Amino acid sequence: MSETTRLALVRQGRTDWNRRGLLQGHTDVPLDDVGRGQARDTARILEAEAWDTVVTSPLSRAVGTGRIIAEYLGIGVTGPHSGLAERSYGAAEGLTREDAERRWPDGAFPDLESLQSVSARGCRALGAIAGTYPDGRVVVITHGALIRAVLGDLSDTVVPRIVNGAVCEIEWAGVWRVVSVNRTVSHGVADPA
């Protein structure tokens, strides 16, 4: 019987930039009070099952989310893992998407990281985590664009926007399998956003 590693991919809690609709990317913006509450809500979703550890992106909004969840679950935080960082939006970081698209109508923001690069980087990171924790259960705190890009490649389907604090589960047993997308406290299985 092959080992199965389960990963709970969690989008970090809300930040002030999320609230204002600004592209964050690699800009290091901390959680706001709502984001800290979302992390606690996410921990309540996860407490129904046993988890071994939490691994985070190096960005403070993910680290903060991870610390809150790990403390609630009574497990440690390992990492951070640089491959879990959010997509870089380059020169568009700090702008709304609408402002960025007005400046660069073709969508080619200077220094924008391609979705293919984000997905490849994310898949490498998740593969490394699965290899480090064979037959383990790991909570992975990362970001919306990375989760959406990876899930899209793993499932070959259109993945909805990933909401702050949502849980998306995947399994590795020689091949990746998407188990759930956008589980939240208020919506249980999926959020229509």
Side-chain angles (χ1 to χ4, degrees), residues 14-188:
R14 192 185 85 170
T15 69
D16 180 61
W17 281 28
N18 288 134
R19 182 186 63 78
R20 294 168 50 202
L22 304 177
L23 295 169
Q24 293 176 105
H26 286 183
T27 303
D28 203 6
V29 181
L31 293 174
D32 64 12
D33 287 340
V34 169
R36 286 185 284 279
Q38 289 170 330
R40 288 187 291 276
D41 289 345
T42 300
R44 286 197 296 278
I45 293 171
L46 296 169
E47 76 178 334
E49 300 178 49
W51 298 94
D52 299 316
T53 193
V54 173
V55 178
T56 73
S57 150
L59 296 167
S60 65
R61 58 192 183 266
V63 172
T65 301
R67 285 182 182 151
I68 291 167
I69 290 172
E71 181 178 339
Y72 188 95
L73 297 177
I75 58 177
V77 178
T78 54
H81 195 297
S82 62
L84 298 173
E86 177 61 293
R87 179 185 193 186
S88 173
Y89 289 96
E93 291 186 16
L95 301 174
T96 65
R97 183 166 296 283
E98 295 76 24
D99 287 341
E101 289 172 354
R102 272 193 290 277
R103 282 191 191 185
W104 301 284
D106 61 357
F109 317 147
D111 300 318
L112 174 67
E113 184 179 10
S114 73
L115 284 174
Q116 294 81 6
S117 174
V118 173
S119 179
R121 175 170 54 80
C123 285
R124 282 191 304 274
L126 298 175
I129 292 166
T132 302
Y133 299 96
D135 210 27
R137 300 176 61 76
V138 182
V139 179
V140 178
I141 314 298
T142 185
H143 309 279
L146 185 138
I147 294 170
R148 191 173 186 196
V150 166
L151 293 180
D153 282 351
L154 295 182
S155 65
D156 289 328
T157 61
V158 176
V159 177
R161 180 181 155 274
I162 306 300
V163 298
N164 290 103
V167 177
C168 303
E169 291 182 86
I170 61 174
E171 289 181 340
W172 172 257
V175 64
W176 287 110
R177 182 175 78 89
V178 176
V179 177
S180 69
V181 177
N182 265 346
R183 286 179 48 213
T184 64
V185 167
S186 61
H187 295 94

